[in-house]
PDB file of all heavy atoms in Angstrom:
ATOM      1  N   ALA A  20       0.835  -1.196  -0.008  1.00 97.00           N
ATOM      2  CA  ALA A  20      -0.001   0.002  -0.017  1.00 97.00           C
ATOM      3  C   ALA A  20       0.865   1.239  -0.004  1.00 97.00           C
ATOM      4  O   ALA A  20       0.540   2.246  -0.652  1.00 97.00           O
ATOM      5  CB  ALA A  20      -0.934  -0.005   1.200  1.00 97.00           C
ATOM      6  N   LEU A  21       1.981   1.206   0.741  1.00 98.00           N
ATOM      7  CA  LEU A  21       2.889   2.344   0.746  1.00 98.00           C
ATOM      8  C   LEU A  21       3.499   2.559  -0.636  1.00 98.00           C
ATOM      9  O   LEU A  21       3.621   3.694  -1.105  1.00 98.00           O
ATOM     10  CB  LEU A  21       4.007   2.131   1.791  1.00 98.00           C
ATOM     11  CG  LEU A  21       5.017   3.288   1.896  1.00 98.00           C
ATOM     12  CD1 LEU A  21       5.241   3.667   3.334  1.00 98.00           C
ATOM     13  CD2 LEU A  21       6.339   2.929   1.203  1.00 98.00           C
ATOM     14  N   PHE A  22       3.845   1.462  -1.303  1.00 98.00           N
ATOM     15  CA  PHE A  22       4.399   1.573  -2.680  1.00 98.00           C
ATOM     16  C   PHE A  22       3.331   2.205  -3.576  1.00 98.00           C
ATOM     17  O   PHE A  22       3.705   3.053  -4.437  1.00 98.00           O
ATOM     18  CB  PHE A  22       4.792   0.208  -3.208  1.00 98.00           C
ATOM     19  CG  PHE A  22       5.986  -0.422  -2.539  1.00 98.00           C
ATOM     20  CD1 PHE A  22       6.224  -1.788  -2.669  1.00 98.00           C
ATOM     21  CD2 PHE A  22       6.892   0.319  -1.806  1.00 98.00           C
ATOM     22  CE1 PHE A  22       7.328  -2.389  -2.064  1.00 98.00           C
ATOM     23  CE2 PHE A  22       7.968  -0.256  -1.169  1.00 98.00           C
ATOM     24  CZ  PHE A  22       8.197  -1.641  -1.316  1.00 98.00           C
ATOM     25  N   ALA A  23       2.099   1.840  -3.419  1.00 98.00           N
ATOM     26  CA  ALA A  23       1.012   2.420  -4.228  1.00 98.00           C
ATOM     27  C   ALA A  23       0.890   3.899  -3.959  1.00 98.00           C
ATOM     28  O   ALA A  23       0.763   4.705  -4.890  1.00 98.00           O
ATOM     29  CB  ALA A  23      -0.314   1.692  -3.950  1.00 98.00           C
ATOM     30  N   ALA A  24       0.852   4.257  -2.692  1.00 98.00           N
ATOM     31  CA  ALA A  24       0.703   5.681  -2.312  1.00 98.00           C
ATOM     32  C   ALA A  24       1.869   6.520  -2.832  1.00 98.00           C
ATOM     33  O   ALA A  24       1.676   7.642  -3.330  1.00 98.00           O
ATOM     34  CB  ALA A  24       0.597   5.805  -0.820  1.00 98.00           C
ATOM     35  N   ARG A  25       3.077   5.970  -2.736  1.00 98.00           N
ATOM     36  CA  ARG A  25       4.237   6.684  -3.254  1.00 98.00           C
ATOM     37  C   ARG A  25       4.118   6.912  -4.727  1.00 98.00           C
ATOM     38  O   ARG A  25       4.406   8.002  -5.228  1.00 98.00           O
ATOM     39  CB  ARG A  25       5.509   5.891  -2.932  1.00 98.00           C
ATOM     40  CG  ARG A  25       6.793   6.549  -3.407  1.00 98.00           C
ATOM     41  CD  ARG A  25       7.985   5.619  -3.207  1.00 98.00           C
ATOM     42  NE  ARG A  25       9.237   6.217  -3.664  1.00 98.00           N
ATOM     43  CZ  ARG A  25       9.623   6.226  -4.972  1.00 98.00           C
ATOM     44  NH1 ARG A  25       8.846   5.688  -5.884  1.00 98.00           N
ATOM     45  NH2 ARG A  25      10.783   6.792  -5.297  1.00 98.00           N
ATOM     46  N   GLU A  26       3.720   5.877  -5.490  1.00 98.00           N
ATOM     47  CA  GLU A  26       3.603   6.049  -6.917  1.00 98.00           C
ATOM     48  C   GLU A  26       2.490   6.977  -7.326  1.00 98.00           C
ATOM     49  O   GLU A  26       2.639   7.759  -8.279  1.00 98.00           O
ATOM     50  CB  GLU A  26       3.410   4.665  -7.580  1.00 98.00           C
ATOM     51  CG  GLU A  26       3.477   4.675  -9.126  1.00 98.00           C
ATOM     52  CD  GLU A  26       4.852   5.049  -9.660  1.00 98.00           C
ATOM     53  OE1 GLU A  26       5.818   5.221  -8.872  1.00 98.00           O
ATOM     54  OE2 GLU A  26       4.977   5.192 -10.910  1.00 98.00           O
ATOM     55  N   CYS A  27       1.390   6.973  -6.584  1.00 98.00           N
ATOM     56  CA  CYS A  27       0.318   7.945  -6.862  1.00 98.00           C
ATOM     57  C   CYS A  27       0.857   9.364  -6.786  1.00 98.00           C
ATOM     58  O   CYS A  27       0.618  10.212  -7.655  1.00 98.00           O
ATOM     59  CB  CYS A  27      -0.838   7.757  -5.860  1.00 98.00           C
ATOM     60  SG  CYS A  27      -1.845   6.310  -6.107  1.00 98.00           S
ATOM     61  N   ALA A  28       1.557   9.666  -5.697  1.00 98.00           N
ATOM     62  CA  ALA A  28       2.064  11.015  -5.462  1.00 98.00           C
ATOM     63  C   ALA A  28       3.142  11.320  -6.484  1.00 98.00           C
ATOM     64  O   ALA A  28       3.288  12.474  -6.940  1.00 98.00           O
ATOM     65  CB  ALA A  28       2.575  11.164  -4.039  1.00 98.00           C
ATOM     66  N   ARG A  29       3.996  10.326  -6.815  1.00 98.00           N
ATOM     67  CA  ARG A  29       5.072  10.569  -7.788  1.00 98.00           C
ATOM     68  C   ARG A  29       4.498  10.922  -9.158  1.00 98.00           C
ATOM     69  O   ARG A  29       4.970  11.856  -9.820  1.00 98.00           O
ATOM     70  CB  ARG A  29       5.956   9.325  -7.897  1.00 98.00           C
ATOM     71  CG  ARG A  29       7.268   9.542  -8.707  1.00 98.00           C
ATOM     72  CD  ARG A  29       7.861   8.236  -9.218  1.00 98.00           C
ATOM     73  NE  ARG A  29       7.016   7.610 -10.200  1.00 98.00           N
ATOM     74  CZ  ARG A  29       6.963   7.981 -11.501  1.00 98.00           C
ATOM     75  NH1 ARG A  29       7.677   8.992 -11.915  1.00 98.00           N
ATOM     76  NH2 ARG A  29       6.161   7.325 -12.344  1.00 98.00           N
ATOM     77  N   VAL A  30       3.460  10.208  -9.571  1.00 98.00           N
ATOM     78  CA  VAL A  30       2.802  10.446 -10.852  1.00 98.00           C
ATOM     79  C   VAL A  30       2.191  11.852 -10.883  1.00 98.00           C
ATOM     80  O   VAL A  30       2.278  12.571 -11.864  1.00 98.00           O
ATOM     81  CB  VAL A  30       1.764   9.367 -11.153  1.00 98.00           C
ATOM     82  CG1 VAL A  30       0.863   9.768 -12.337  1.00 98.00           C
ATOM     83  CG2 VAL A  30       2.462   8.022 -11.439  1.00 98.00           C
ATOM     84  N   ILE A  31       1.550  12.261  -9.753  1.00 98.00           N
ATOM     85  CA  ILE A  31       0.987  13.614  -9.670  1.00 98.00           C
ATOM     86  C   ILE A  31       2.075  14.649  -9.827  1.00 98.00           C
ATOM     87  O   ILE A  31       1.932  15.664 -10.496  1.00 98.00           O
ATOM     88  CB  ILE A  31       0.221  13.776  -8.350  1.00 98.00           C
ATOM     89  CG1 ILE A  31      -1.090  12.946  -8.405  1.00 98.00           C
ATOM     90  CG2 ILE A  31      -0.118  15.245  -8.071  1.00 98.00           C
ATOM     91  CD1 ILE A  31      -1.806  12.880  -7.064  1.00 98.00           C
ATOM     92  N   GLY A  32       3.193  14.400  -9.120  1.00 97.00           N
ATOM     93  CA  GLY A  32       4.332  15.338  -9.235  1.00 97.00           C
ATOM     94  C   GLY A  32       4.876  15.411 -10.649  1.00 97.00           C
ATOM     95  O   GLY A  32       5.266  16.485 -11.122  1.00 97.00           O
ATOM     96  N   GLU A  33       4.925  14.258 -11.325  1.00 98.00           N
ATOM     97  CA  GLU A  33       5.443  14.216 -12.685  1.00 98.00           C
ATOM     98  C   GLU A  33       4.557  15.018 -13.676  1.00 98.00           C
ATOM     99  O   GLU A  33       5.062  15.748 -14.499  1.00 98.00           O
ATOM    100  CB  GLU A  33       5.523  12.771 -13.137  1.00 98.00           C
ATOM    101  CG  GLU A  33       6.156  12.518 -14.492  1.00 98.00           C
ATOM    102  CD  GLU A  33       6.271  11.046 -14.770  1.00 98.00           C
ATOM    103  OE1 GLU A  33       5.274  10.402 -15.167  1.00 98.00           O
ATOM    104  OE2 GLU A  33       7.391  10.474 -14.564  1.00 98.00           O
ATOM    105  N   GLU A  34       3.224  14.866 -13.487  1.00 98.00           N
ATOM    106  CA  GLU A  34       2.301  15.652 -14.317  1.00 98.00           C
ATOM    107  C   GLU A  34       2.294  17.104 -13.916  1.00 98.00           C
ATOM    108  O   GLU A  34       2.141  17.985 -14.762  1.00 98.00           O
ATOM    109  CB  GLU A  34       0.899  15.038 -14.218  1.00 98.00           C
ATOM    110  CG  GLU A  34      -0.137  15.792 -15.063  1.00 98.00           C
ATOM    111  CD  GLU A  34      -1.542  15.224 -14.922  1.00 98.00           C
ATOM    112  OE1 GLU A  34      -1.798  14.501 -13.921  1.00 98.00           O
ATOM    113  OE2 GLU A  34      -2.385  15.520 -15.779  1.00 98.00           O
ATOM    114  N   GLY A  35       2.405  17.350 -12.633  1.00 98.00           N
ATOM    115  CA  GLY A  35       2.274  18.683 -12.070  1.00 98.00           C
ATOM    116  C   GLY A  35       0.867  18.800 -11.472  1.00 98.00           C
ATOM    117  O   GLY A  35      -0.095  18.495 -12.112  1.00 98.00           O
ATOM    118  N   LEU A  36       0.816  19.183 -10.184  1.00 98.00           N
ATOM    119  CA  LEU A  36      -0.484  19.257  -9.484  1.00 98.00           C
ATOM    120  C   LEU A  36      -1.479  20.152 -10.201  1.00 98.00           C
ATOM    121  O   LEU A  36      -2.647  19.754 -10.406  1.00 98.00           O
ATOM    122  CB  LEU A  36      -0.284  19.705  -8.051  1.00 98.00           C
ATOM    123  CG  LEU A  36      -1.523  19.763  -7.162  1.00 98.00           C
ATOM    124  CD1 LEU A  36      -2.179  18.381  -7.028  1.00 98.00           C
ATOM    125  CD2 LEU A  36      -1.187  20.319  -5.798  1.00 98.00           C
ATOM    126  N   GLU A  37      -1.034  21.351 -10.634  1.00 98.00           N
ATOM    127  CA  GLU A  37      -1.967  22.272 -11.296  1.00 98.00           C
ATOM    128  C   GLU A  37      -2.442  21.691 -12.643  1.00 98.00           C
ATOM    129  O   GLU A  37      -3.610  21.803 -12.991  1.00 98.00           O
ATOM    130  CB  GLU A  37      -1.286  23.624 -11.520  1.00 98.00           C
ATOM    131  CG  GLU A  37      -1.057  24.426 -10.255  1.00 98.00           C
ATOM    132  CD  GLU A  37       0.124  23.964  -9.446  1.00 98.00           C
ATOM    133  OE1 GLU A  37       0.890  23.100  -9.933  1.00 98.00           O
ATOM    134  OE2 GLU A  37       0.311  24.459  -8.302  1.00 98.00           O
ATOM    135  N   ALA A  38      -1.522  21.007 -13.357  1.00 98.00           N
ATOM    136  CA  ALA A  38      -1.900  20.397 -14.632  1.00 98.00           C
ATOM    137  C   ALA A  38      -2.911  19.274 -14.409  1.00 98.00           C
ATOM    138  O   ALA A  38      -3.853  19.116 -15.194  1.00 98.00           O
ATOM    139  CB  ALA A  38      -0.656  19.881 -15.344  1.00 98.00           C
ATOM    140  N   GLY A  39      -2.744  18.513 -13.335  1.00 98.00           N
ATOM    141  CA  GLY A  39      -3.670  17.456 -13.036  1.00 98.00           C
ATOM    142  C   GLY A  39      -5.078  18.000 -12.694  1.00 98.00           C
ATOM    143  O   GLY A  39      -6.071  17.433 -13.097  1.00 98.00           O
ATOM    144  N   ILE A  40      -5.108  19.092 -11.947  1.00 98.00           N
ATOM    145  CA  ILE A  40      -6.385  19.701 -11.597  1.00 98.00           C
ATOM    146  C   ILE A  40      -7.061  20.228 -12.889  1.00 98.00           C
ATOM    147  O   ILE A  40      -8.275  20.054 -13.091  1.00 98.00           O
ATOM    148  CB  ILE A  40      -6.180  20.826 -10.576  1.00 98.00           C
ATOM    149  CG1 ILE A  40      -5.736  20.263  -9.238  1.00 98.00           C
ATOM    150  CG2 ILE A  40      -7.459  21.654 -10.392  1.00 98.00           C
ATOM    151  CD1 ILE A  40      -5.268  21.270  -8.227  1.00 98.00           C
ATOM    152  N   ALA A  41      -6.255  20.839 -13.760  1.00 98.00           N
ATOM    153  CA  ALA A  41      -6.809  21.337 -15.001  1.00 98.00           C
ATOM    154  C   ALA A  41      -7.325  20.185 -15.878  1.00 98.00           C
ATOM    155  O   ALA A  41      -8.357  20.325 -16.573  1.00 98.00           O
ATOM    156  CB  ALA A  41      -5.747  22.105 -15.785  1.00 98.00           C
ATOM    157  N   ARG A  42      -6.652  19.046 -15.859  1.00 98.00           N
ATOM    158  CA  ARG A  42      -7.130  17.865 -16.603  1.00 98.00           C
ATOM    159  C   ARG A  42      -8.458  17.389 -16.090  1.00 98.00           C
ATOM    160  O   ARG A  42      -9.371  17.055 -16.865  1.00 98.00           O
ATOM    161  CB  ARG A  42      -6.084  16.720 -16.496  1.00 98.00           C
ATOM    162  CG  ARG A  42      -6.521  15.401 -17.086  1.00 98.00           C
ATOM    163  CD  ARG A  42      -5.377  14.394 -17.175  1.00 98.00           C
ATOM    164  NE  ARG A  42      -4.761  14.142 -15.909  1.00 98.00           N
ATOM    165  CZ  ARG A  42      -5.198  13.250 -15.003  1.00 98.00           C
ATOM    166  NH1 ARG A  42      -6.278  12.511 -15.259  1.00 98.00           N
ATOM    167  NH2 ARG A  42      -4.576  13.056 -13.825  1.00 98.00           N
ATOM    168  N   HIS A  43      -8.606  17.316 -14.751  1.00 98.00           N
ATOM    169  CA  HIS A  43      -9.884  16.920 -14.174  1.00 98.00           C
ATOM    170  C   HIS A  43     -10.985  17.882 -14.571  1.00 98.00           C
ATOM    171  O   HIS A  43     -12.128  17.485 -14.895  1.00 98.00           O
ATOM    172  CB  HIS A  43      -9.782  16.845 -12.655  1.00 98.00           C
ATOM    173  CG  HIS A  43      -9.149  15.573 -12.155  1.00 98.00           C
ATOM    174  ND1 HIS A  43      -7.799  15.412 -12.106  1.00 98.00           N
ATOM    175  CD2 HIS A  43      -9.711  14.434 -11.723  1.00 98.00           C
ATOM    176  CE1 HIS A  43      -7.530  14.205 -11.609  1.00 98.00           C
ATOM    177  NE2 HIS A  43      -8.669  13.572 -11.381  1.00 98.00           N
ATOM    178  N   LYS A  44     -10.690  19.176 -14.577  1.00 98.00           N
ATOM    179  CA  LYS A  44     -11.716  20.161 -14.992  1.00 98.00           C
ATOM    180  C   LYS A  44     -12.057  20.039 -16.448  1.00 98.00           C
ATOM    181  O   LYS A  44     -13.253  20.065 -16.812  1.00 98.00           O
ATOM    182  CB  LYS A  44     -11.212  21.584 -14.665  1.00 98.00           C
ATOM    183  CG  LYS A  44     -12.240  22.667 -15.106  1.00 98.00           C
ATOM    184  CD  LYS A  44     -11.901  24.032 -14.566  1.00 98.00           C
ATOM    185  CE  LYS A  44     -12.832  25.086 -15.146  1.00 98.00           C
ATOM    186  NZ  LYS A  44     -14.274  24.754 -14.964  1.00 98.00           N
ATOM    187  N   LEU A  45     -11.079  19.839 -17.327  1.00 98.00           N
ATOM    188  CA  LEU A  45     -11.331  19.690 -18.718  1.00 98.00           C
ATOM    189  C   LEU A  45     -12.276  18.542 -19.026  1.00 98.00           C
ATOM    190  O   LEU A  45     -13.295  18.693 -19.715  1.00 98.00           O
ATOM    191  CB  LEU A  45     -10.020  19.451 -19.470  1.00 98.00           C
ATOM    192  CG  LEU A  45     -10.112  19.072 -20.965  1.00 98.00           C
ATOM    193  CD1 LEU A  45     -10.654  20.233 -21.777  1.00 98.00           C
ATOM    194  CD2 LEU A  45      -8.754  18.581 -21.496  1.00 98.00           C
ATOM    195  N   HIS A  46     -11.990  17.375 -18.449  1.00 98.00           N
ATOM    196  CA  HIS A  46     -12.805  16.224 -18.743  1.00 98.00           C
ATOM    197  C   HIS A  46     -14.146  16.219 -17.993  1.00 98.00           C
ATOM    198  O   HIS A  46     -15.162  15.742 -18.491  1.00 98.00           O
ATOM    199  CB  HIS A  46     -12.019  14.944 -18.460  1.00 98.00           C
ATOM    200  CG  HIS A  46     -10.787  14.840 -19.316  1.00 98.00           C
ATOM    201  ND1 HIS A  46     -10.846  14.777 -20.712  1.00 98.00           N
ATOM    202  CD2 HIS A  46      -9.464  14.802 -18.989  1.00 98.00           C
ATOM    203  CE1 HIS A  46      -9.570  14.743 -21.186  1.00 98.00           C
ATOM    204  NE2 HIS A  46      -8.769  14.767 -20.169  1.00 98.00           N
ATOM    205  N   GLY A  47     -14.144  16.811 -16.798  1.00 98.00           N
ATOM    206  CA  GLY A  47     -15.412  16.988 -16.088  1.00 98.00           C
ATOM    207  C   GLY A  47     -16.352  17.903 -16.800  1.00 98.00           C
ATOM    208  O   GLY A  47     -17.561  17.629 -16.913  1.00 98.00           O
ATOM    209  N   ASP A  48     -15.833  18.984 -17.349  1.00 98.00           N
ATOM    210  CA  ASP A  48     -16.654  19.925 -18.096  1.00 98.00           C
ATOM    211  C   ASP A  48     -17.129  19.303 -19.428  1.00 98.00           C
ATOM    212  O   ASP A  48     -18.262  19.573 -19.886  1.00 98.00           O
ATOM    213  CB  ASP A  48     -15.880  21.232 -18.382  1.00 98.00           C
ATOM    214  CG  ASP A  48     -15.735  22.095 -17.158  1.00 98.00           C
ATOM    215  OD1 ASP A  48     -16.435  21.814 -16.139  1.00 98.00           O
ATOM    216  OD2 ASP A  48     -14.968  23.066 -17.205  1.00 98.00           O
TER     217      ASP A  48
END
């Protein structure tokens, strides 16, 4: 579970938090 949590956060950092939020807004809209 720790490995999973680490990879989740690593992937978010790789995309960029703001870019990820913008992606969620784009597809939600």
